[in-house]
Structures are given as C-alpha cells and as structure tokens.
Amino acid sequence: MGCSGFTCSKQCLCALNILYVMVSLLMIGIAAWGKWFGLVSSFQVVGGIIAVGVFLFFVAGAGLIGAMKHHQVLLFFYMIVLFMVFIVQFSVSSACLAINREQQDQLLEVGWNNSRSTQRDVEKSLNCCGFRQLEPNRTCDAACFPNHSCLPCAEKIQEHAGEVLRFVGGIGLFFSFTEILGVWLTYHYRNQKDPRANPSAFL
C-alpha cells in the first residue's frame, strides 16, 4: 500500500506523536535534573519548562490515541490544538531570528530585573556581577567577587545571546514545520476509511 493509504498515514502520525512524547519527557527530565542538581534555582523557569513538557505530552498522547483508534473527535481537537501551537511557535521562532541587537539588549535587561534567582544563576555560571554594574551593598555569588575583579554580566550574556536566539529560532522553526505536517497528516487520516471497518459506514 502506498503512502497515501490508511495504514501508512496511521503509522506516520503515530511515529510523529511518539517523537513529541519523547521530546516532552526530555524537557521534563532536563528541567527536573537542573533543579535537583542546583543548576537552575528559579522555580519559574523550571516550572515553565515542565508545564510546556506536560502540555506537549498530553497533546501528543491525545494524538497517539486518536491515531491508534482512528477516533474522529480526538483527532479533530488534536488537529486544532496542534495548529494553534504551530501559529504561536512559528511566530516566536521568527521573532527570535529577526530580533535586532537593541531589542535583544532590552529583553535581556527586563528578564534580568524580573528574577533575583535567575541573576544568581547567571552570576555563578558566567562568573560576573550585576547586569551593567554591581549595585552598592549587594553581594554576588560569582567566584570573582571576593577579588573585586568581576565584569558586568551584560557583556558576557550578549556574547552568547545572539547564538542562543538563532539556535532556539532554528529549532523552533524545525518543530513548527513538523507540527504543520502533523496537522496535514491528521486531516488526511481523518478523511480515510478504515479498511477493517464496515465499508458502508461513513467516518
């Protein structure tokens, strides 16, 4: 049977959702591992990554069950949710790739000022203190702090921020195209008849 057939569509959709399940479990595992070993102390960051991972897990689970059972309602809602995720992810990924240096600096400063725990994580990992300068009467967890030889973190963050944004944008675009592929496969699969079902029944 060719790739336009019922079985091939089902297998492709199942394989795509198994990939999403694996990605979701990887996201949850990495976030939990980072929190457990103290690599990330911000509960908001860890909680956000885990929430996205759990959401992706349930969406992929619904898609996988719908594909296995050829369940019309599950497949319909899976297709709608996946299309909405595609729109959001494609927009965010495009923004990551299109952002200029001035906008990047503004976003970094806003993110820096929003969370003390994130500041401590960055200072410790990059061995720097303060964003543009260290505030008076403020301690710093960086190894360079006792020697008063620390550079501002803005300089070190900016060295890597552009590469990170391009990497995140590229990965996001890749997965957004797998999502639109999933939408197309689901739509195609929903409109096919199960050869094992009653030939006179409409799906």
Side-chain angles (χ1 to χ4, degrees):
M1 184 177 293
C3 280
S4 60
F6 180 88
T7 303
C8 186
S9 298
K10 178 179 180 179
Q11 290 174 348
C12 289
L13 198 54
C14 287
L16 187 63
N17 283 289
I18 289 171
L19 173 65
Y20 288 154
V21 167
M22 293 173 63
V23 170
S24 68
L25 292 176
L26 186 65
M27 290 175 67
I28 295 168
I30 288 175
W33 177 78
K35 182 66 176 174
W36 179 265
F37 286 95
L39 300 176
V40 181
S41 60
S42 173
F43 181 76
Q44 293 175 332
V45 172
V46 174
I49 295 173
I50 290 177
V52 171
V54 170
F55 173 76
L56 181 59
F57 179 82
F58 280 111
V59 171
L64 190 57
I65 294 170
M68 294 292 292
K69 296 182 177 294
H70 201 223
H71 194 289
Q72 294 293 298
V73 177
L74 268 180
L75 288 171
F76 175 77
F77 282 107
Y78 169 76
M79 184 172 61
I80 297 299
V81 171
L82 200 63
F83 184 69
M84 293 170 62
V85 171
F86 162 76
I87 292 173
V88 173
Q89 189 165 326
F90 183 81
S91 302
V92 172
S93 301
S94 300
C96 286
L97 294 172
I99 191 170
N100 60 38
R101 182 62 180 267
E102 183 180 348
Q103 293 169 329
Q104 179 181 307
D105 291 346
Q106 291 173 352
L107 286 174
L108 288 172
E109 190 161 6
V110 169
W112 178 270
N113 293 328
N114 278 342
S115 174
R116 284 288 186 186
S117 58
T118 301
Q119 291 178 21
R120 290 194 295 270
D121 291 338
V122 172
E123 287 173 342
K124 187 183 295 185
S125 60
L126 295 182
N127 198 27
C128 57
C129 287
F131 189 71
R132 300 195 185 278
Q133 60 182 10
L134 184 62
E135 299 173 8
N137 303 320
R138 182 176 174 270
T139 58
C140 176
D141 294 332
C144 61
F145 181 69
N147 301 325
H148 302 286
S149 58
C150 296
L151 294 172
C153 291
E155 298 177 11
K156 294 194 174 185
I157 294 173
Q158 287 162 357
E159 289 177 8
H160 307 288
E163 295 177 7
V164 170
L165 284 172
R166 285 191 294 273
F167 177 77
V168 170
I171 293 293
L173 275 180
F174 170 77
F175 276 102
S176 68
F177 286 118
T178 68
E179 288 156 6
I180 202 66
L181 173 64
V183 171
W184 178 82
L185 276 173
T186 306
Y187 175 79
H188 186 66
Y189 180 58
R190 283 186 78 241
N191 292 312
Q192 291 178 318
K193 285 189 176 183
D194 188 343
R196 296 171 298 178
N198 183 359
S200 63
F202 285 99
L203 295 177

